[in-house]
Amino acid sequence: EGKRVAVLGLALSGQAAARLALAHGGEVYVSDWSVEPSVAARAGKLRDLGARIDLGRHDVEWVAQADLVVVSPGIPPDAPVLRALQNRGVRWISEPEFAFRFFQGPLIAVTGTNGKTTTAALVAHLLRESGSRVALGGNIGGGLGPPASELALLDPPPEWYVLEVSSFQLADTEHFRPDIGVLTNLAPNHLDRYPSVEAYYADKAKLFANARPDSRWVLNGDQPEVERLTGNARGKRYRFSLGQGEGIHAYPGPGELVLEAVEGRREVVPLPAEGLPLLGRHNLANALAAALTARLAGADPDAISRGLASFQPLPHRLQPVGTRGGVLWVNDSKATNVAATVAALNSLSVPLVLLLGGKDKGEDFAPLRAALHGGVRGVVAFGDAGPRLAEALQGAVALRLVRGTFEEAVGAAMDMARPGDLLLLSPACSSFDMFENYEARGRRFAELAQE
């Protein structure tokens, strides 16, 4: 109360942070370079609540004198306004860091290169199945949950907060500390924003920065780099793996998940008779991570089993969206990096035609070539990254480079497919060359499946 709070960026997280600051009596300034109607509409609502608003500019002098500066994750660290603040010695925090300061209950935070949305949503679902009041949000987006600051306004507060957090959000944290932290996996990503893979991993490592002896960490036991990233963080480590081994606390058995999380006691979670309702072997790892996390948070094995059976595939993540001519169309538009597409290919053994392309983020495409198993009938490369993808995969598989529209690329893939195949959109690239976001790309693919 009475403090000056500056919020930079007026997307959903910026709006939520401003509302939280206003609700707690802050003098709030919000600015955004954009003057788009949707931004102006959000600005109008905040102005009515008492915030000072600037669109099309940032008042650096006002921001520099604020008691607290909250920066939206969409603003890159080399943005002129942040450089100007840095030159003045001004520090800033991320929106989840700001929200965390108002949380009134234990927190589960899920991060990782891939699988964090599915894992976070599944954790929340399993805890709800066990009877807990859960608030899900953070970076999860896509209508699955609000920004963290909205969760901080809930009254009464939930029994568990579950947040998905990105590297961009972790970068600007100071006191952020989950009671249970989950790291699904690590792979190169966002190299259009980070100078190196090491810099990207360093932001992920901030999940562990404020660890305490009672902290609990759920880690991918199949990736040594995950273990290295935790460093000397205090707390107890619990590992999930697709195989058994020493120090593994969750692993798959025949028709079941085995948990050895609570005082080393072996517990069995029966899987649905027809298997997990999620395509792909990598989703088994996500299920292990979520089941282990939920068990640590108090869910009983029967509730976890029921929750695994009733969970529905999330949009744009190996989501079946239709069948045409005996070809199953699968929307994996959320695969916006090479590692996500490699994981999808490695987890699918059926014949398929793969759609690859979008905005080129500068990743090495060589792992894609190695992942093209014998079931991949062909690849269609499209978009900004299409030519480089075609060059990287030349000779490895039947390949077509489509320099036209997304619809033309999908049509070319359909021409390649045969009855019984999957037509898989798993682009390994972001969508911003053709679409507003990966959701819009996935929705268009689903529309084409029905047309």
Side-chain angles (χ1 to χ4, degrees):
E1 186 170 352
K3 292 189 179 294
R4 291 160 60 97
V5 180
V7 179
L8 305 184
L10 194 42
L12 293 179
S13 63
Q15 180 184 20
R19 287 174 57 85
L20 178 59
L22 288 164
H24 286 275
E27 180 185 351
V28 179
Y29 167 83
V30 185
S31 60
D32 196 303
W33 270 111
S34 175
V35 294
E36 293 291 325
S38 60
V39 176
R42 287 193 288 270
K45 293 178 181 179
L46 292 175
R47 188 180 287 110
D48 291 343
L49 292 173
R52 175 188 165 187
I53 305 292
D54 266 340
L55 296 184
R57 65 184 293 269
H58 299 289
D59 188 338
V60 174
E61 295 306 321
W62 198 102
V63 175
Q65 296 175 37
D67 297 294
L68 193 64
V69 181
V70 183
V71 175
S72 296
I75 299 179
D78 60 350
V81 62
L82 297 187
R83 288 203 304 268
L85 293 175
Q86 192 172 36
N87 290 339
R88 289 168 169 79
V90 176
R91 296 174 61 86
W92 56 86
I93 62 172
S94 67
E95 181 265 335
E97 164 72 23
F98 181 54
F100 172 74
R101 300 178 183 195
F102 296 93
F103 281 1
Q104 300 180 56
L107 167 64
I108 296 169
V110 182
T111 195
T113 301
N114 297 306
K116 55 185 177 293
T117 297
T118 296
T119 302
L122 186 50
V123 167
H125 181 74
L126 298 180
L127 288 175
R128 287 169 182 150
E129 187 65 39
S130 74
S132 295
R133 287 185 296 105
V134 181
L136 172 67
N139 187 64
I140 196 163
L144 301 173
S149 293
E150 283 196 33
L151 304 186
L153 288 168
L154 292 175
D155 186 19
E159 294 174 276
W160 282 98
Y161 297 92
V162 179
L163 288 187
E164 177 192 330
V165 285
S166 70
S167 61
F168 299 168
Q169 294 170 326
L170 287 168
D172 298 319
T173 53
E174 292 179 352
H175 306 293
F176 188 82
R177 182 188 55 78
D179 296 270
I180 303 177
V182 184
L183 182 53
T184 59
N185 50 61
L186 289 171
N189 197 14
H190 300 303
L191 297 182
D192 52 344
R193 174 154 167 167
Y194 287 98
S196 66
V197 173
E198 291 73 21
Y200 166 59
Y201 285 0
D203 278 351
K204 289 290 190 189
K206 292 185 178 180
L207 181 74
F208 307 97
N210 298 302
R212 300 192 315 196
D214 61 347
S215 298
R216 291 174 288 176
W217 307 109
V218 174
L219 308 172
N220 189 328
D222 293 330
Q223 284 197 321
E225 54 266 47
V226 167
E227 194 72 32
R228 287 194 294 269
L229 197 75
T230 64
N232 296 318
R234 294 182 295 175
K236 188 166 183 180
R237 291 161 167 76
Y238 298 85
R239 301 170 185 86
F240 61 93
S241 170
L242 292 177
Q244 299 183 37
E246 186 178 352
I248 299 301
H249 300 83
Y251 53 88
E256 63 190 20
L257 304 183
V258 180
L259 304 181
E260 298 182 1
V262 181
E263 298 177 355
R265 187 169 66 248
R266 187 181 190 274
E267 299 174 321
V268 172
V269 177
L271 291 175
E274 62 278 10
L276 286 172
L278 298 168
L279 283 176
R281 184 166 171 79
H282 65 292
N283 272 320
L284 178 56
N286 295 334
L288 286 163
L292 180 54
T293 302
R295 186 70 186 97
L296 292 172
D300 64 82
D302 288 342
I304 294 172
S305 183
R306 292 194 305 270
L308 291 174
S310 60
F311 187 72
Q312 295 300 308
L314 299 182
H316 316 297
R317 297 158 178 86
L318 284 182
Q319 175 196 21
V321 292
T323 303
R324 292 181 59 181
V327 176
L328 176 64
W329 292 43
V330 177
N331 168 22
D332 195 33
S333 184
K334 182 62 171 65
T336 57
N337 58 69
V338 169
T341 299
V342 168
L345 290 172
N346 288 341
S347 67
L348 297 170
S349 57
V350 296
L352 62 89
V353 175
L354 175 64
L355 278 155
L356 284 175
K359 183 178 183 296
D360 193 338
K361 298 194 291 184
E363 283 195 73
D364 180 8
F365 291 142
L368 289 171
R369 188 183 184 98
L372 294 175
H373 55 74
V376 179
R377 192 179 305 283
V379 170
V380 173
F382 67 93
D384 173 54
R388 197 163 73 85
L389 280 162
E391 181 181 358
L393 304 181
Q394 187 65 43
V397 69
L399 186 144
R400 285 192 60 182
L401 172 61
V402 174
R403 298 182 183 273
T405 65
F406 180 71
E407 290 75 11
E408 290 171 329
V410 173
M414 191 61 190
D415 289 343
M416 280 188 177
R418 300 176 188 173
D421 287 358
L422 293 186
L423 181 58
L424 176 63
L425 172 66
S426 190
C429 301
S430 65
S431 59
F432 302 123
D433 57 338
M434 291 181 169
F435 297 93
E436 181 181 3
N437 49 44
Y438 74 83
E439 292 104 327
R441 179 172 61 190
R443 285 194 299 268
R444 182 57 184 146
F445 181 74
E447 290 169 358
L448 293 171
Q450 303 300 323
E451 288 178 2

